[in-house]
Amino acid sequence: MTQSNPSAANGDTSSRGLWSSRLAFILAVTGSSVGLGNVWKFPYITGENGGGAFVLVYLACIAVIGIPILMAEVFLGRNGRHNPITSMRLVAERNLASPLWRVSAIVGMIAAFVILSFYSVIGGWAAAYIGHGATGDFVGGNPDTINAMFGNLLASPGELLLWHSLFMALVVLVVSRGLKKGLERSVTILMPALFVLLLVAVGYATTTGHFGEAVTFLFKPDFGKLSINGVLIALGHAFFTLSLGMAIMMAYGSYLGRDVSIGRTAVIVGVTDTLVALLAGLAIFPVVFANNLEAGAGPGLIFQTLPLAFGQMPMGSVFGTLFFVLLVFAAWTSAISLLEPVVEWVEEKTTLGRSGSAMLVGFLCWALGIVSILSLNLWSDVTPLAMFERFEGKTFFDLMDYFTANVMLPLSGMLTALFVGWCVARESLKKDVGLDGKLFGVWYGLTRYVTPVAVAVVFVYNLLS
Ligand code: PHE
């Protein structure tokens, strides 16, 4: 994915390679951001949080907080030209700020590690569904049979472990070889293909007779249905879905050429990511309503609805199988970006080398994933924080998801915004970010004031409620 460009020609003094083109960078960033977050998580949290009002807050968070932070992270990476922690230290030194700001990258890396552990388990679910699609299990399915299929998967720790192990092995494989052309090419082909298949699913959804109901559910806000915790979840998901607050965009930005406009690129990625999520919603909710399913069914939602849709449409087995293949790919490119920063760091701090580090981190992450697997069956009654009302009924798996996405990522993102907004010289930002006059002012204001204040307000409200 990177090649040894004469980076000095761009005014860069370091000898690291650069992305082969602006498109390559956009694809890699899109590969990281479009994943299970869009297709699996967005629909189910939207269902759990009442629809329209939640979606509106989520869109606002993407526009006002997500995209500006994406720009800030890419800026830090390109300005520092090292791994995220070192980059932050260097940028801090240049701007006479405290090196302690790099705490934000450290919090992010811990979050990345924990997220990957359960992300791989969900990636495993998607992989298991490739098999179900291919063997015709979706055909003629009704809500009961499809629910049973999902229930059986979750009830079987052995099967879950198998798919989780396979998925993690795939991720470790790529990361241990370094990110090469292969990934770039697969993103070029597979991301558009996933998009097309989502359109097919939306096309089917329009024939269910409940499309209008779904559009109303998704886009007509009813703020009575949105809790303050729902606002926190929308905010957290804006970070999760754009892969922010984890130093990933810093790592990717460190290979970005000087001539690329950070601003424009961030907008393209933000819009693409959002479109994929909305398409997933439009594919899923008509099926939910047509079959009298529960919109708030939780993490199983897409696995209980899409197979029904595929089972009823012509050539459903082909489309269904293909869809889950592409979903696994989308998850894979995201998971790679989750493992990459931690591996880079271990590689630098130890003598294990690239593949040794990838294997070590991958193994530890895999082991932690077992906790999530057990949460789905043998430990499904273990709710460690049940003494707090908010966490009643939440298993280890639910809690890891909650704390990483809704606490650690926004916190790390807030620190990044504060650092870029208040410690980095305005002129250096202006020169680097590539937005002209007015737009720069808007971004600067959002980064300096709006993001930190918004995150702080949502946090405080949540603590008090
Ligand atoms: N953004 C990815 C998704 O939406 C998940 C992810 C989160 C990837 C954090 C990397 C970092 O699925």
Side-chain angles (χ1 to χ4, degrees):
M1 180 172 310
T2 57
Q3 63 185 32
S4 47
N5 256 5
S7 39
N10 293 300
D12 297 318
T13 44
S14 78
S15 60
R16 21 178 33 221
L18 294 181
W19 298 98
S20 46
S21 65
R22 180 171 99 111
L23 184 65
F25 175 73
I26 293 184
L27 286 171
V29 172
T30 311
S32 169
S33 73
V34 174
L36 295 169
N38 308 64
V39 182
W40 161 70
K41 195 169 179 189
F42 171 74
Y44 100 71
I45 56 179
T46 299
E48 283 184 339
N49 289 285
F54 176 84
V55 174
L56 196 68
V57 173
Y58 161 74
L59 292 176
C61 289
I62 293 280
V64 174
I65 299 175
I67 294 178
I69 295 209
L70 177 55
M71 291 166 52
E73 284 199 18
V74 175
F75 162 81
L76 285 176
R78 187 165 76 177
N79 206 272
R81 284 269 187 259
H82 282 82
N83 77 62
I85 297 178
T86 312
S87 286
M88 283 196 87
R89 183 170 56 74
L90 288 174
V91 177
E93 272 170 18
R94 266 175 226 156
N95 289 279
L96 308 176
S98 161
L100 279 180
W101 283 105
R102 67 189 192 287
V103 161
S104 114
I106 297 172
V107 171
M109 273 168 44
I110 298 171
F113 180 83
V114 176
I115 289 177
L116 181 58
S117 78
F118 66 77
Y119 202 83
S120 166
V121 174
I122 316 291
W125 296 358
Y129 270 62
I130 298 176
H132 284 306
T135 52
D137 290 352
F138 300 157
V139 180
N142 59 46
D144 291 336
T145 58
I146 298 291
N147 264 339
M149 185 189 293
F150 186 64
N152 287 339
L153 175 65
L154 293 202
S156 158
E159 206 179 324
L160 290 172
L161 185 65
L162 176 77
W163 293 114
H164 164 55
S165 311
L166 238 139
F167 187 87
M168 192 66 92
L170 273 175
V171 176
V172 170
L173 189 78
V174 174
V175 174
S176 68
R177 292 187 167 178
L179 312 182
K180 281 274 147 52
K181 277 274 177 221
L183 184 67
E184 196 173 306
R185 211 168 295 140
S186 64
V187 178
T188 327
I189 301 166
L190 297 170
M191 287 291 149
L194 179 68
F195 205 80
V196 171
L197 271 202
L198 270 174
L199 284 176
V200 171
V202 174
Y204 168 78
T206 59
T207 69
T208 57
H210 291 259
F211 195 72
E213 209 178 317
V215 171
T216 310
F217 178 74
L218 283 172
F219 298 111
K220 187 153 179 265
D222 172 357
F223 282 93
K225 290 190 186 148
L226 186 64
S227 64
I228 175 70
N229 192 41
V231 175
L232 177 63
I233 293 173
L235 174 73
H237 189 60
F239 282 92
F240 185 90
T241 193
L242 291 178
S243 307
L244 299 177
M246 261 161 297
I248 290 172
M249 296 306 166
M250 284 185 221
Y252 281 14
S254 71
Y255 302 107
L256 185 63
R258 286 268 169 235
D259 46 341
V260 177
S261 156
I262 294 179
R264 216 171 319 138
T265 313
V267 172
I268 294 176
V269 172
V271 169
T272 311
D273 187 83
T274 306
L275 278 180
V276 174
L278 294 178
L279 279 183
L282 288 174
I284 286 161
F285 285 107
V287 179
V288 169
F289 297 129
N291 291 283
N292 282 320
L293 300 170
E294 173 66 61
L301 189 64
I302 67 160
F303 298 95
Q304 289 157 318
T305 51
L306 288 181
L308 270 179
F310 289 122
Q312 289 163 10
M313 69 173 77
M315 305 225 309
S317 286
V318 177
F319 285 138
T321 310
L322 212 57
F323 175 82
F324 283 105
V325 168
L326 294 171
L327 185 58
V328 169
F329 267 104
W332 190 35
T333 52
S334 299
I336 288 167
S337 73
L338 278 166
L339 186 58
E340 177 69 23
V342 187
V343 168
E344 226 170 67
W345 180 75
V346 173
E347 192 186 355
E348 256 174 48
K349 298 282 169 194
T350 66
T351 53
L352 288 170
R354 180 81 192 175
S355 43
S357 309
M359 276 182 226
L360 175 71
V361 179
F363 173 77
L364 294 174
C365 218
W366 172 84
L368 183 60
I370 295 175
V371 175
S372 290
I373 289 181
L374 294 174
S375 298
L376 299 166
N377 35 68
L378 301 178
W379 293 355
S380 61
D381 293 333
V382 182
T383 52
L385 296 182
M387 58 277 208
F388 304 104
E389 202 185 328
R390 170 173 316 176
F391 302 123
E392 249 170 61
K394 286 207 186 300
T395 61
F396 278 112
F397 169 41
D398 300 328
L399 290 171
M400 287 199 277
D401 181 15
Y402 188 91
F403 279 106
T404 49
N406 305 332
V407 180
M408 296 175 82
L409 306 189
L411 201 67
S412 160
M414 179 168 83
L415 290 175
T416 303
L418 285 171
F419 177 59
V420 170
W422 294 90
C423 300
V424 177
R426 192 189 157 106
E427 278 321 301
S428 124
L429 290 171
K430 195 151 192 189
K431 198 167 82 216
D432 251 20
V433 171
L435 290 174
D436 17 76
K438 270 222 173 78
L439 274 180
F440 176 80
V442 171
W443 172 74
Y444 197 53
L446 289 173
T447 309
R448 242 166 116 87
Y449 303 103
V450 177
T451 296
V453 172
V455 175
V457 167
V458 176
F459 269 173
V460 170
Y461 257 100
N462 258 282
L463 284 179
L464 298 180
S465 68

